[in-house]
Amino acid sequence: MAKLTESMTNVLEGDSMDQDVESPVAIHQPKLPKQARDDLPRHISRDRTKRKIQRYVRKDGKCNVHHGNVRETYRYLTDIFTTLVDLKWRFNLLIFVMVYTVTWLFFGMIWWLIAYIRGDMDHIEDPSWTPCVTNLNGFVSAFLFSIETETTIGYGYRVITDKCPEGIILLLIQSVLGSIVNAFMVGCMFVKISQPKKRAETLVFSTHAVISMRDGKLCLMFRVGDLRNSHIVEASIRAKLIKSKQTSEGEFIPLNQTDINVGYYTGDDRLFLVSPLIISHEINQQSPFWEISKAQLPKEELEIVVILEGMVEATGMTCQARSSYVTSEILWGYRFTPVLTLEDGFYEVDYNSFHETYETSTPSLSAKELAELATRAELPLSWSVSSKLNQHAELETEEEDKSVEEQTERNGNLDSI
């Protein structure tokens, strides 16, 4: 009995060891590079724990993408102006102060060296000595003279003389370089201040997108508005669907972009954005939502990125505002609450109701299923008409045959007589 128990124990242990070896948890997968992991088929990633949907574009319009392992950093220096404009304000102001300070210190040091080499420091109290710069008695005074020269202040206390050719050359160089530095830094600050990014802050998108019926067709809709009285000129709207895709060749594209038609062929994508507008996308056979129903929508991992572009009326600069909608922000069977009312001589927009929606009667089927149901509803009608015509034709044929037979019988009877 003891031997039997030991043998059964060994067998069980052997089975458990075999199970541990064959278990997918015990198999150590080789570490793959990021690109190779991204190219894995979707059915492999579905076995993993479901992660929270990561936004490609945040609600405030900022792209949630970080550039890493950029080795060619010298390209940022080749376009130094754009690099400075793209920096944050604190770094931009720091560079602005540092550039002027370093320039003044550099030329102040040269002015002091010229005075030191010429011996002006040894003849400060000598009235018969003609220095390069009058009243320059140390590095601090040379630094102040550099500031006065580059900023063209000209207090008149420290003045360059005509007995110093090297000082005249240095004065020309500092004047030219100072003008270049002023133009570069002031231009950078002006562009930084007048950037149209702040104008995009007053372009608002609804917090939710809705799907409901419009003119007998299933449509995806969202609302845009402009809070300022100055309008956006040549405003246009675009929409992109961000969703993972696997090609027929097996390639996995993690962030595939598909265009969503919001009126490109009809011109409805060009907006006269005076009051809030509802942008509509008809879900037809060319739409990526053609086969998505109400029950299937929460299971989809997708994101809709909307882009509003136009020129600022005051400055003429191009402005772009962005937002996005994930699956949880798409409401099926809802419409937007009207915000425009007619007052005494003008129209008033109530932005308190800009994001509000109300529920409406909407079928839960996909647009494809609705189209199939409409087709099936039409087919029996055509079948009934054709069948009735066929039946009517058959009845007429049978009546003709009967009349012929009756005529034949009568003729036969007459012949017999």
Side-chain angles (χ1 to χ4, degrees), residues 110 165 178 311 332 404 413:
I110 296 179
M311 290 189 300
W332 190 289
V404 170
N413 293 333

Side-chain angles (χ1 to χ4, degrees), residues 92-144:
N92 205 294
L93 292 174
L94 177 63
I95 292 175
F96 185 85
V97 173
M98 290 297 297
V99 166
Y100 278 107
T101 304
V102 170
T103 305
W104 295 336
L105 288 172
F106 175 74
F107 283 102
M109 178 65 70
I110 296 179
W111 284 113
W112 180 81
L113 285 176
I114 290 176
Y116 180 80
I117 293 172
R118 283 174 53 86
D120 294 342
M121 301 299 178
D122 300 331
H123 300 83
I124 296 176
E125 302 297 335
D126 188 359
S128 62
W129 180 263
T130 304
C132 183
V133 179
T134 58
N135 300 317
L136 194 150
N137 52 14
F139 177 75
V140 176
S141 59
F143 176 68
L144 293 175

Side-chain angles (χ1 to χ4, degrees), residues 8-75:
M8 291 177 65
T9 304
N10 294 332
V11 170
L12 291 175
E13 289 179 354
D15 292 339
S16 62
M17 291 178 64
D18 292 339
Q19 290 177 359
D20 291 339
V21 172
E22 295 178 359
S23 176
V25 179
I27 298 176
H28 298 283
Q29 296 288 346
K31 188 175 181 180
L32 300 176
K34 186 176 183 300
Q35 184 63 32
R37 294 197 303 270
D38 292 341
D39 289 340
L40 289 175
R42 292 295 295 167
H43 67 273
I44 296 179
S45 61
R46 288 174 184 172
D47 296 336
R48 301 175 183 177
T49 304
K50 187 177 181 180
R51 298 178 298 176
K52 184 179 179 181
I53 297 178
Q54 183 67 41
R55 286 186 181 274
Y56 188 63
V57 176
R58 293 186 291 185
K59 295 295 286 185
D60 57 359
K62 295 181 180 179
C63 298
N64 198 17
V65 177
H66 297 273
H67 300 280
N69 299 325
V70 179
R71 299 180 180 179
E72 299 178 349
T73 55
Y74 66 90
R75 296 182 180 272

Side-chain angles (χ1 to χ4, degrees), residues 148-288:
E148 295 169 8
T149 301
E150 189 167 335
T151 57
T152 65
I153 293 176
Y155 289 117
Y157 183 70
R158 278 172 286 271
V159 182
I160 188 172
T161 62
D162 55 353
K163 304 297 183 180
C164 182
E166 60 272 21
I168 296 174
I169 296 174
L170 180 61
L171 180 64
L172 294 174
I173 295 174
Q174 185 175 3
S175 299
V176 173
L177 290 180
S179 300
I180 295 174
V181 171
N182 288 333
F184 188 84
M185 296 308 299
V186 172
C188 178
M189 294 299 294
F190 175 77
V191 174
K192 184 74 174 177
I193 294 172
S194 61
Q195 270 187 320
K197 291 182 180 180
K198 300 302 179 182
R199 179 63 178 89
E201 298 293 334
T202 55
L203 298 174
V204 292
F205 297 87
S206 58
T207 55
H208 292 87
V210 298
I211 295 178
S212 61
M213 300 298 293
R214 173 176 278 194
D215 293 334
K217 299 177 182 178
L218 199 63
C219 296
L220 169 71
M221 293 170 284
F222 57 92
R223 184 149 59 185
V224 296
D226 189 0
L227 302 179
R228 287 188 180 273
N229 292 326
S230 59
H231 308 312
I232 295 293
V233 183
E234 295 292 334
S236 61
I237 191 76
R238 291 184 293 135
K240 292 285 185 179
L241 176 66
I242 310 297
K243 184 180 179 181
S244 301
K245 175 185 176 182
Q246 187 171 0
T247 63
S248 57
E249 295 80 11
E251 179 187 4
F252 178 65
I253 305 175
L255 295 175
N256 184 60
Q257 298 185 12
T258 305
D259 186 66
I260 299 177
N261 185 16
V262 288
Y264 177 79
Y265 298 104
T266 59
D268 293 336
D269 60 332
R270 301 174 185 177
L271 310 179
F272 182 50
L273 197 59
V274 179
S275 61
L277 299 176
I278 297 177
I279 310 302
S280 176
H281 163 66
E282 179 184 341
I283 303 178
N284 50 26
Q285 294 182 357
Q286 288 75 32
S287 173

Side-chain angles (χ1 to χ4, degrees), residues 338-351:
V339 296
L340 192 64
T341 57
L342 178 60
E343 300 296 334
D344 187 11
F346 62 92
Y347 292 96
E348 184 177 357
V349 179
D350 182 15
Y351 279 98

